[in-house]
Amino acid sequence: MIKLEEVHKKYWVYPAIKDITLSLEIGRIFGIIGENGSGKSTLLRLMAGLLKPTKGVITINGEVASRQTRKHVAYLSDQDYYFPYFTIEELIQYYHSQFSDFDSIKAKSIIDFLSLEPTAKIGHLSKGNRGRVKMVMTLSRNAPFLILDEPFSGLDPMVRKSILQGLIQFVDLSRQSVILTTHELKEVESVLDVAIVLKEGKLMGRKPVEQIREEQKMSILEWMENLYQEERESMKA
Amino acid sequence: MGIDFKPDKPIYQQIMDLISSEIIRGKRCPGDRLTSVRDYAVEIGVNANTIQRVYQELERIGIVESRRGQGTFITENHNRLHQLREEMKQQYIQSFVSDMQSLGFSLREMIEGIHQYTKKGDDDDQA
């Protein structure tokens, strides 16, 4: 379980996360959604132990989030960061040496599933295939929490689809959870269990996607727009 | 992948409808084994939890049976499948009638319309 209690994060004087209390349990795919600058990436980095909260506490399986809790978390950054001179195979060996929970056999199956060529050099891959490789490296860790920052952004629809299928195929929801941010709501909606909406660093709502459909008769995009609208109206009043 | 889910109905219910209609059309037969939860999830592009729920609900209403260690199978209880077919008929009729009523059509107009429409279809077939 990842728990945030009254978490604030400021960059110098600028607040990025304001007073968020939230629990994320095992066995779900969470989608964190909101406009640009709403704090999605910051929230993920806080949970991944890459940033420290300015105020409040974050725990992961009971331990305070830090560099040490990163063993519980596989984090996919929104940056392109892979060593261009490595082949995919070499990258797998490197990850295996860095993370004790890295499963090389699983990595090979995912590479197969995504039709990647193990001997290809990272530097020679297309952007789409680099996106696939990032997903392979993250999904191959048997960490309880997979945190994915914009795994689909800038990729074409075919690549997005294959990455999404890889995620469905290889995540083990009996002992893992996925927390991802995305703007591709239409494509990803059917894969999410729970939607979490942020606006200007604040938590606007958290609800199971099926419940939003059942009760509100809405897609998560419409639900998000509604929450934003209500917020604007309450500010005016 | 590639199913367009309607936003106003839970996805698991839409998948239950899909499987039910495939049974009624004969695309799936009594005793057929359903694809594993994960494979079916990948195939239609939804979360495995959703498919798990679909299979549980279909079992609860007697459309499928799970056999320990073997998987999930479409029931061979023909009465239940016949009943499913009737339920689906009722559901479509109900939605058609309520749409037509909300547009102001009378029952007689609906029935005449159906007769005319199907008669036209027959003529086309013969031509």
Side-chain angles (χ1 to χ4, degrees):
Chain A
M1 175 106 89
I2 297 186
K3 270 186 148 169
L4 291 89
E5 281 166 61
E6 298 172 15
V7 168
H8 293 253
K9 176 68 190 173
K10 278 185 187 172
Y11 294 116
W12 191 41
V13 295
Y14 302 106
I17 292 293
K18 301 173 191 164
D19 195 20
I20 291 190
T21 297
L22 188 63
S23 295
L24 306 176
E25 62 280 6
I26 286 290
R28 300 266 177 277
I29 300 182
F30 296 94
I32 300 182
I33 59 179
E35 62 195 357
N36 287 324
S38 56
K40 302 188 296 292
S41 287
T42 301
L43 189 64
L44 291 194
R45 288 194 192 125
L46 285 164
M47 293 193 279
L50 300 166
L51 288 174
K52 273 191 173 170
T54 313
K55 235 166 78 182
V57 183
I58 302 171
T59 57
I60 300 173
N61 292 347
E63 289 177 59
V64 174
S66 68
R67 293 193 80 82
Q68 276 69 47
T69 55
R70 285 164 67 183
K71 61 178 183 287
H72 300 307
V73 171
Y75 173 74
L76 181 148
S77 142
D78 61 342
Q79 310 292 318
D80 231 351
Y81 63 104
Y82 287 118
F83 318 91
Y85 42 85
F86 273 7
T87 65
I88 296 179
E89 276 170 332
E90 286 163 351
L91 191 65
I92 289 176
Q93 284 161 19
Y94 174 73
Y95 263 71
H96 187 68
S97 72
Q98 296 300 304
F99 297 101
S100 59
D101 61 2
F102 190 87
D103 182 342
S104 302
I105 295 167
K106 193 172 181 183
K108 286 184 183 122
S109 332
I110 307 174
I111 279 176
D112 244 22
F113 184 87
L114 296 178
S115 312
L116 289 164
E117 184 51 58
T119 54
K121 270 201 161 53
I122 309 294
H124 296 165
L125 296 176
S126 64
K127 189 173 182 188
N129 279 342
R130 289 203 303 276
R132 289 187 173 105
V133 167
K134 278 166 70 175
M135 199 60 162
V136 172
M137 296 304 147
T138 315
L139 280 175
S140 301
R141 285 191 52 199
N142 288 320
F145 293 98
L146 306 180
I147 295 186
L148 318 176
D149 196 358
E150 295 286 349
F152 310 107
S153 96
L155 303 174
D156 70 52
M158 298 276 287
V159 177
R160 295 204 292 264
K161 182 175 155 180
S162 78
I163 290 181
L164 207 49
Q165 285 178 319
L167 181 70
I168 299 167
Q169 175 75 36
F170 291 102
V171 72
D172 181 356
L173 292 175
S174 66
R175 52 192 185 84
Q176 290 183 305
S177 264
V178 177
I179 304 155
L180 60 85
T181 58
T182 188
H183 291 285
E184 281 77 16
L185 295 183
K186 259 196 107 147
E187 285 168 76
V188 177
E189 168 152 24
S190 61
V191 174
L192 299 180
D193 285 297
V194 179
I196 294 169
V197 176
L198 296 188
K199 181 172 189 275
E200 292 162 13
K202 281 182 295 190
L203 178 66
M204 307 294 294
R206 172 212 154 113
K207 221 173 215 188
V209 173
E210 295 282 53
Q211 201 181 330
I212 298 169
R213 288 166 173 267
E214 183 116 57
E215 292 172 1
Q216 260 112 341
K217 311 279 177 211
M218 280 181 198
S219 67
I220 54 176
L221 177 63
E222 291 168 305
W223 182 60
M224 178 176 99
E225 286 169 348
N226 252 30
L227 291 174
Y228 271 52
Q229 183 67 31
E230 282 167 19
E231 160 89 359
R232 271 193 293 273
E233 277 160 16
S234 74
M235 298 293 269
K236 265 185 251 163
Chain B
M1 277 227 195
I3 297 183
D4 268 330
F5 294 107
K6 286 179 259 149
D8 57 352
K9 191 173 183 181
I11 291 170
Y12 83 93
Q13 287 176 5
Q14 295 183 53
I15 300 171
M16 285 174 71
D17 290 348
L18 175 72
I19 294 175
S20 300
S21 65
E22 287 174 351
I23 295 172
I24 292 166
R25 271 190 283 133
K27 195 180 162 199
R28 293 173 187 268
C29 301
D32 277 2
R33 187 170 177 275
L34 298 181
T35 329
S36 75
V37 166
R38 186 165 306 228
D39 288 349
Y40 197 44
V42 172
E43 187 185 323
I44 61 175
V46 304
N47 183 315
N49 288 334
T50 306
I51 300 299
Q52 187 76 51
R53 183 162 180 198
V54 168
Y55 286 9
Q56 275 167 6
E57 289 288 318
L58 285 174
E59 184 165 14
R60 195 180 57 79
I61 63 171
I63 304 299
V64 304
E65 294 159 10
S66 73
R67 296 179 202 153
R68 192 175 285 272
Q70 293 181 64
T72 306
F73 297 82
I74 294 169
T75 182
E76 294 180 77
N77 176 347
H78 289 268
N79 286 337
R80 181 64 189 96
L81 293 178
H82 180 73
Q83 195 191 342
L84 176 71
R85 190 166 178 275
E86 281 301 304
E87 285 163 10
M88 192 142 274
K89 184 174 88 183
Q90 290 304 327
Q91 196 183 319
Y92 276 97
I93 291 175
Q94 198 179 19
S95 113
F96 170 77
V97 170
S98 89
D99 283 350
M100 292 294 275
Q101 276 174 339
S102 74
L103 289 168
F105 290 101
S106 71
L107 199 58
R108 221 189 60 206
E109 282 176 298
M110 289 179 222
I111 293 168
E112 274 173 12
I114 290 171
H115 275 306
Q116 249 168 14
Y117 180 81
T118 50
K119 190 161 167 290
K120 187 171 161 288
D122 286 347
D123 291 347
D124 288 349
D125 286 347
Q126 281 156 14

